[in-house]
Amino acid sequence: MLTAIDREKTKFYLRYKGVRGNFDKGRITAEDEVTSLVFDPMKYLPACDVTGFWQKIVGDNFLLHEVPVSVDVIFWPTRSYLENGESHWVQPDLRFDFKWSNGSTRIILVEIKWNSGLDEGQLRRQWGSYLSPGERKIARHVFIAKNTDIGDEGHRGGVIVKSWRDVQDVLNGFRERDGAVARWAMLVSGFLGKVTARPFNGFGALVATGEGRLRFYAPSDFFTEERLSHVADLNGGAMSFYNR
């Protein structure tokens, strides 16, 4: 949120000053706010933890195993490009620059969506028009969204597609570590759990198994052994829950 406010991506903070009104002029800023909330603390985490997180996301040993000497986190980087003689601009949500003592560098470019979808050609423009040819050789492109269907937005460099639940799973692996990264992982994972929770849509099936008795079947991961397996009377009978 701090970066979203600093970069004028939201006027949300004005409501904390007692001001009420439509500060965003109809523009939905949730996406930028979530980007800032989740990733802004990375600017203050040790390089080893930032590297460890992104290695889990991108995989394939893209990042060197040694701890980098620096990791630069850039929000909403912008570059212009020419197309058919006209100037345009392209702006991914995040850029991470990793630098090692031996001179090696890596780039991770990130596009984030919350409730909106991709613009036509958005990922292809980021890869082909934002990154230079030399940068594309040392870069990975990550797309994080609720809806992970990118359609024909793929490009030659490949897009690493992750859902917010994938991000939450990676974060959960950092909750038992030492230091600030554990606190960050716990808070962000908790936040994502609240805002992306799946609604309960009912049981998979309702089967009558005998007079006065109903069994509700649910997916195998819905109940755990610790949860209630037998509930009080229903119309004089019993109601029980079973896993498939």
Side-chain angles (χ1 to χ4, degrees):
M1 182 64 77
L2 293 176
T3 302
I5 293 171
D6 182 63
R7 295 290 300 275
E8 295 296 326
K9 289 290 185 176
T10 178
K11 298 293 185 181
F12 186 87
Y13 66 95
L14 290 178
R15 68 193 69 193
Y16 295 128
K17 299 175 68 174
V19 179
R20 295 292 183 268
N22 182 13
F23 306 120
D24 295 315
K25 299 180 181 179
R27 179 173 176 270
I28 299 173
T29 60
E31 192 169 281
D32 296 325
E33 292 167 9
V34 169
T35 299
S36 185
L37 273 169
V38 172
F39 295 104
D40 196 60
M42 278 192 162
K43 294 189 295 186
Y44 313 106
L45 292 176
C48 61
D49 293 324
V50 178
T51 306
F53 172 85
W54 285 109
Q55 184 62 66
K56 293 288 187 180
I57 294 292
V58 302
D60 74 8
N61 295 317
F62 170 67
L63 299 174
L64 305 188
H65 292 294
E66 295 81 5
V67 177
V69 296
S70 67
V71 180
D72 293 330
V73 185
I74 307 167
F75 283 78
W76 305 294
T78 305
R79 286 179 176 173
S80 62
Y81 66 97
L82 288 175
E83 185 176 72
N84 298 324
E86 295 184 358
S87 179
H88 302 271
W89 59 271
V90 58
Q91 183 188 77
D93 288 306
L94 287 164
R95 172 177 170 152
F96 288 80
D97 287 349
F98 300 81
K99 300 177 183 177
W100 283 266
S101 58
N102 64 2
S104 296
T105 58
R106 297 289 188 274
I107 298 169
I108 294 179
L109 207 64
V110 186
E111 177 60 27
I112 290 171
K113 294 297 181 185
W114 191 247
N115 290 322
S116 62
L118 287 164
D119 296 332
E120 184 178 355
Q122 186 172 5
L123 294 181
R124 294 194 300 273
R125 286 192 300 273
Q126 289 179 6
W127 184 257
S129 299
Y130 175 84
L131 293 174
S132 69
E135 288 175 328
R136 289 195 287 272
K137 294 178 181 179
I138 56 168
R140 290 290 186 274
H141 200 184
V142 178
F143 176 61
I144 300 173
K146 292 181 181 179
N147 179 5
T148 56
D149 181 8
I150 65 171
D152 61 354
E153 280 295 305
H155 50 69
R156 293 182 63 183
V159 181
I160 299 168
V161 180
K162 297 291 181 180
S163 69
W164 284 106
R165 289 193 174 275
D166 293 331
V167 173
Q168 188 179 14
D169 288 342
V170 172
L171 287 167
N172 287 337
F174 285 81
R175 295 179 65 162
E176 301 303 321
R177 298 198 180 189
D178 296 326
V181 69
R183 177 69 174 171
W184 167 73
M186 180 188 70
L187 291 174
V188 175
S189 177
F191 164 73
L192 292 176
K194 290 179 183 295
V195 296
T196 63
R198 290 174 294 180
F200 173 60
N201 293 319
F203 296 98
L206 177 61
V207 181
T209 61
E211 184 177 354
R213 188 174 183 84
L214 294 175
R215 286 184 179 180
F216 293 81
Y217 286 90
S220 59
D221 61 348
F222 186 81
F223 293 105
T224 62
E225 293 182 0
E226 292 78 13
R227 294 189 180 179
L228 195 61
S229 62
H230 189 84
V231 186
D233 288 348
L234 176 67
N235 294 329
M239 181 172 64
S240 300
F241 297 98
Y242 297 84
N243 290 337
R244 286 186 196 264

